[in-house]
Amino acid sequence: MIKDTRHDIHRLIMLFMMMIVAAGTKAQNIDKLHAEDGLFNHLSVGLSSGLTGAGIDVVMPVHKLVTLRAGISGWDIGDIKFDAINTASEITEMQMVEAEAVKRSQMVDKVELAVKPNFWNFFLLGEVHPFNNQPFYFSAGLFVGSQNFVHFRNTNEGGLDYLYYANQLVEDYNRVFRTNYPPIGLKFGDYVFTADERGNIDVRMKTNAVKPYLGIGFGQHLAKTHRVSLAVDAGLLFWGTPKFVLNNETEIKSSGKNSGLSGTLSWLKAWPNLQIRVAYKIF
């Protein structure tokens, strides 16, 4: 699906470039631009880059003070690899500590994890320009798309079966003896990522699919006297409280004892956006 999305973006960018060439050829015979106010009587196509990713969009006026902008933006960064601590080494005081599965899991101190950031959204924004002939505006609307902000997985595919079986023993022990020993898995801040039955870590940091947006901007999306315009946006995507979930959608609970990552996520209910946009006015 991600590959298809990237291909669609590439096609849109190619279409954008073709439209610029065609419009530029037509514009050679035009003495001046039509800048009168109206409903859907102008169109600009833009390319943008910022904290919501690279994107392409279109802008049209719906009122003399209001423009409508729609498009797609996102980024797909390659794997970032790091070594995660194996919590099995902390199991020292329980009857099943001599079990073969636990002893085997304690032989590995760290496991390499790969985290893959991936964030794509379609957006529709209304932009209000309250001051005539002033390049300042307010924007509001919706981003709709990715729920999985980042994806964690082990680099040794299927190689963590020993963590899975050891964690099953801990769960059974807690259930029988009514203890509360932490799960066996890989530490990420004050979370523990457990392996699944296939011997893999498969964890996603999940947010809301629909993300309301509020922002301010400076610049023009529809140039009055030129073909090319420039604008800068700053705002917030309200995506809810992020949470870590396993591949079966089970939420991972925080121990709340180490890095305080859970506390950070509890107030990170919005993703910041700082974006620069260059646009070409088609008509």
Side-chain angles (χ1 to χ4, degrees):
M1 179 179 178
I2 298 300
K3 290 183 178 179
D4 293 339
T5 303
R6 285 204 295 259
H7 291 159
D8 291 340
I9 293 294
H10 293 159
R11 294 191 189 102
L12 287 171
I13 292 174
M14 291 298 297
L15 178 61
F16 170 67
M17 299 305 296
M18 293 170 63
M19 291 171 68
I20 288 179
V21 173
T25 303
K26 183 178 179 181
Q28 292 178 354
N29 299 321
I30 300 177
D31 293 332
K32 64 178 182 178
L33 298 176
H34 298 287
E36 73 276 5
D37 297 320
L39 178 64
F40 300 132
N41 64 337
H42 297 297
L43 172 71
S44 75
V45 181
L47 295 175
S48 61
S49 181
L51 294 180
T52 56
I56 184 170
D57 58 42
V58 295
V59 171
M60 297 192 79
V62 294
H63 184 270
K64 65 180 181 179
L65 298 179
V66 181
T67 56
L68 195 64
R69 180 155 66 109
I72 183 174
S73 65
W75 34 263
D76 183 5
I77 303 173
D79 287 350
I80 302 170
K81 297 179 181 179
F82 65 98
D83 289 334
I85 298 173
N86 177 8
T87 63
S89 59
E90 301 174 357
I91 304 298
T92 57
E93 298 179 1
M94 66 170 68
Q95 294 177 15
M96 44 75 70
V97 75
E98 296 299 323
E100 187 63 31
V102 175
K103 290 170 66 177
R104 184 185 171 203
S105 67
Q106 290 177 324
M107 295 174 63
V108 180
D109 292 332
K110 295 182 179 180
V111 176
E112 186 177 64
L113 279 184
V115 54
K116 185 179 181 63
N118 199 313
F119 197 52
W120 290 93
N121 290 280
F122 294 94
F123 60 85
L124 179 64
L125 302 176
E127 296 171 337
V128 179
H129 304 254
F131 310 113
N132 242 340
N133 301 319
Q134 294 296 321
F136 176 80
Y137 58 89
F138 298 97
S139 58
L142 293 175
F143 279 67
V144 181
S146 298
Q147 285 185 279
N148 302 323
F149 186 62
V150 290
H151 184 201
F152 297 85
R153 58 180 177 80
N154 52 297
T155 56
N156 56 335
E157 179 72 20
L160 303 182
D161 58 322
Y162 57 91
L163 288 181
Y164 170 73
Y165 290 118
N167 188 58
Q168 292 296 108
L169 283 176
V170 171
E171 289 182 354
D172 292 341
Y173 187 90
N174 285 336
R175 186 164 48 251
V176 172
F177 295 98
R178 297 184 180 181
T179 52
N180 192 32
Y181 287 101
I184 289 181
L186 303 181
K187 276 187 177 180
F188 185 71
D190 44 6
Y191 291 87
V192 176
F193 296 164
T194 57
D196 61 24
E197 63 276 9
R198 293 185 296 275
N200 292 316
I201 298 290
D202 188 354
V203 175
R204 292 165 288 125
M205 179 179 160
K206 190 172 182 179
T207 64
N208 294 339
V210 179
K211 312 165 189 73
Y213 178 81
L214 290 175
I216 58 174
F218 186 84
Q220 292 183 331
H221 291 304
L222 286 165
K224 293 289 186 181
T225 58
H226 303 282
R227 288 283 178 186
V228 179
S229 60
L230 178 69
V232 177
D233 293 314
L236 292 172
L237 277 75
F238 296 91
W239 62 5
T241 301
K243 58 185 178 181
F244 292 109
V245 297
L246 299 171
N247 59 353
N248 61 2
E249 296 299 321
T250 301
E251 182 177 355
I252 302 173
K253 300 298 183 181
S254 164
S255 66
K257 295 178 180 178
N258 297 322
S259 72
L261 178 60
S262 58
T264 301
L265 293 180
S266 68
W267 61 260
L268 189 63
K269 292 180 171 60
W271 177 253
N273 180 39
L274 182 62
Q275 185 181 73
I276 185 169
R277 179 182 185 266
V278 178
Y280 185 86
K281 189 174 183 180
I282 304 298
F283 61 84

